[in-house]
Amino acid sequence: MARTTKQLSGGGKDKLLRALVATEAHISADAAARLGDTLCSAIADVRVRREAWEPVRNTTAPANGNSTSPPPLVPVDVAAPAPAAAPFDPFAFSALAVLTKKGFAELSARLATISSATDLHTLATAQHLTVEASLTELAALRAAIVKATEQRLAERRAAAS
């Protein structure tokens, strides 16, 4: 059975680390050289997949050991993908806590920052606030969430007394 990884230390390790850093298109050559030097001095040895090591293995390293532009391992796409939008977090704030501590106006302001009916329904479901599923208008949905939060607060207070 063929081995799929290779243990590297010393010059081979340094050559690999510098080559990997150099493949990143968004890092300048000077920054890549500094980062490569830092990694080489901080890492004693690595275990690397052979498919990553083979393209680097047969290239020649500069005599001084400071490789600022080793050949790239893979073709680099210059156009970086746009960062994906962060998924909505229905627990970013507690509607009940905001209403209790800061009041109606603050809860309404926090809900106004949410611009999707789906996200408002997700918040209501996650925080156990009873809201009609048929509501799609944002203003009506926000008002229903505030009303459900007030109702939940009243129920908690009644249960505590």
Side-chain angles (χ1 to χ4, degrees):
M1 182 170 184
R3 293 187 183 189
T4 59
T5 61
K6 170 107 175 118
Q7 184 74 27
L8 295 176
S9 62
K13 173 216 30 134
D14 294 348
K15 187 177 185 181
L16 174 76
L17 292 174
R18 286 189 177 100
L20 289 174
V21 171
T23 61
E24 293 299 320
H26 63 280
I27 298 176
S28 70
D30 187 41
R34 286 192 318 269
L35 181 58
D37 290 341
T38 302
L39 288 172
C40 290
S41 65
I43 298 173
D45 61 3
V46 294
R47 180 161 293 282
V48 62
R49 289 188 179 86
R50 288 199 180 264
E51 59 267 12
W53 170 239
E54 291 301 324
V56 177
R57 180 177 148 216
N58 296 324
T59 61
T60 58
N64 62 4
N66 291 332
S67 172
T68 57
S69 60
L73 295 176
V74 293
V76 177
D77 184 17
V78 177
F88 176 72
D89 180 13
F91 300 107
F93 66 93
S94 167
L96 191 60
V98 170
L99 180 65
T100 303
K101 296 181 191 279
K102 298 185 180 178
F104 173 83
E106 179 66 22
L107 178 58
S108 296
R110 292 267 184 109
L111 292 173
T113 63
I114 302 171
S115 59
S116 166
T118 304
D119 291 346
L120 287 169
H121 277 290
T122 302
L123 179 133
T125 302
Q127 296 192 19
H128 304 289
L129 303 171
T130 306
V131 176
E132 287 184 41
S134 61
L135 287 175
T136 56
E137 182 188 347
L138 293 177
L141 190 52
R142 289 180 184 124
I145 289 174
V146 169
K147 184 177 178 184
T149 305
E150 289 172 336
Q151 180 64 37
R152 186 153 185 237
L153 180 60
E155 289 170 357
R156 290 182 89 187
R157 286 183 175 157
S161 61

